Structure formats: C-alpha cells, structure tokens
C-alpha cells in the first residue's frame, strides 16, 4: 500500500439516498472547491499533494449535523474545508448540504478529523 | 432548468463494476486533472466555467474502447481531455483506464462528443 503524506477527504451524506452519478458529481465539486481554497491558503500543501498523486478518499456520514461538526473541527485545525450545497436541480432540495471536502493537507492532520469514518 | 454555457463531463466505465465510493473518487480525479489542463490551455474557458457554477456531469460508457474513442474525438475538437488510469490499490488492476474527463469547455462543443451518452 502506497503511503501518502497528503490527502483530500470528502465526507458524503448517506441519509440523502443520492444515486452514484449524483454522488460522484458532488464529490468532484467538493474536490475542486476545497483544492482551490487550499491553493490560495496553502499552495505548498496543494503542490505536494498534486505531485504525490492527489490522494482522495470518500467517506460517509449520516446527517447534515455530522457535516457541520466535521467542518468546525477542520477549521479549528486550520485545514481547508468546504461544505457543498446542491443547486437542487435533481434528486435533492435546493440548498441541501450534500458533502464536505477537507484538504489537501498533511494526512495526519486530516486523519484527526476524519480518521474514524468509514469509506463511502 | 439552469442553462449552462460551459461544462465538464466525465465518462465512467460501467463494465468495471466499481463501487460508488470508488467511482466518486475516480470522477473527482478526472475533474481535477482535466480542469488543470483546461486552466493551462484555455484559462478563459476555465474561468467562465468556474464562475458560472462549475457544471459537471457524469455519464456512462461500456468499455475501455469507448473511452479511447471519446478521447480521440475530444482531441480532434481541441477540447481538454484526460483519461484516468487507476493505481489499482483497490478494486481494479493497476493501470486500468477507469474514466475520461472532457472540458470545461463550451457546452455545445462538449455535447458533440458526449451528448448522446446516458447519465451515470
């Protein structure tokens, strides 16, 4: 197993029952948004993550409250973190928080927030 | 339905039977990689897509041949286009082509390549 020093994690709400295409697009949206934020505030983290192979992991949470809790924890640690709200064109109500992106950042910092969550 | 002028499409192989978390991460990888390519070669397209709300669509294909065919068509039209090969740490053999990102680019150009494909 390759050991990555930097990672980006997306936590996805499972309680919304989104289809796999919908989930994929939400995770992509979170990845783009949070990596742009990292690029602005931690360009060194972004660059090392990108060159290392852009480790990305999707994990699951059970509620919108979980997303907000993780978001607060990530911000307390100074990690790039973005909650994605869907436009609601398909499958969910407009403005629904669907997922949360954290990183790219040093893996040991990200793991403090998401290390105990199960893979999606 | 909001009308987007720019879009990014990711075509995902359905024949690999990847799980939804795996698919999400592959689509995110394609989105990051192809949007970085667009940023270098078509920064105007990237900026307009980003400001417009980053329309992303996941569609399905049935084989690796389909990915290569779409890739060629996209390149002939001068569209940013990247095939994602998986490291094969989980679920698939190392080097397996899992998906193809096209864009962000003007929607009518992208539709010439992927307009007849079904949503994932």
């Amino acid at each position: 197993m390759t050991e990555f020093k930097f990672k980006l994690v997306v936590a996805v709400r499972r309680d919304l029952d989104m289809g796999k295409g919908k989930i994929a697009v939400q995770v992509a949206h979170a990845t783009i948004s949070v990596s742009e934020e990292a690029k602005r505030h931690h360009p060194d983290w972004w660059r090392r993550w990108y060159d290392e192979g852009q480790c990305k992991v999707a994990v699951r949470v059970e509620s919108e409250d979980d997303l907000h809790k993780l978001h607060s924890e990530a911000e307390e640690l100074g990690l790039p973190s973005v909650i994605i709200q869907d436009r609601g064109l398909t499958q969910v109500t407009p403005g629904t928080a669907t997922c949360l992106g954290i990183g790219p950042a040093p893996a040991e910092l990200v793991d403090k927030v998401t290390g105990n969550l199960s893979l999606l």
Side-chain angles (χ1 to χ4, degrees), chain A:
Chain A
M1 194 73 177
T2 311
E3 195 65 62
F4 290 100
K5 292 203 170 66
F6 291 82
K7 70 161 97 168
L8 185 158
V9 173
V10 181
V12 181
R13 281 177 66 185
R14 211 166 52 148
D15 58 310
L16 292 175
D17 289 326
M18 296 180 284
K20 62 187 172 186
K22 180 80 175 177
I23 289 174
V25 163
Q26 298 296 313
V27 170
H29 192 159
T31 302
I32 285 272
S33 298
V34 80
S35 73
E36 286 296 315
E37 184 177 309
K39 220 186 243 189
R40 281 193 299 276
H41 300 294
H42 293 282
D44 50 328
W45 289 355
W46 187 88
R47 172 49 61 192
R48 292 183 64 185
W49 169 76
Y50 195 83
D51 290 345
E52 195 184 52
Q54 310 162 39
C55 175
K56 288 172 288 294
V57 181
V59 298
R60 62 200 195 200
V61 296
E62 303 300 335
S63 69
E64 177 160 0
D65 282 352
D66 287 351
L67 288 188
H68 291 295
K69 186 168 161 287
L70 294 172
H71 188 42
S72 299
E73 292 175 12
E75 289 192 327
E76 276 169 29
L77 290 172
L79 302 178
S81 178
V82 174
I83 286 182
I84 299 303
Q85 291 191 305
D86 194 66
R87 268 155 210 274
L89 301 177
T90 59
Q91 296 187 32
V92 301
T93 310
T96 303
T98 57
C99 62
L100 165 76
I102 299 176
E108 74 272 16
L109 286 180
V110 179
D111 285 343
K112 286 186 182 178
V113 182
T114 62
N116 63 342
L117 298 172
S118 301
L119 293 177
L120 178 63

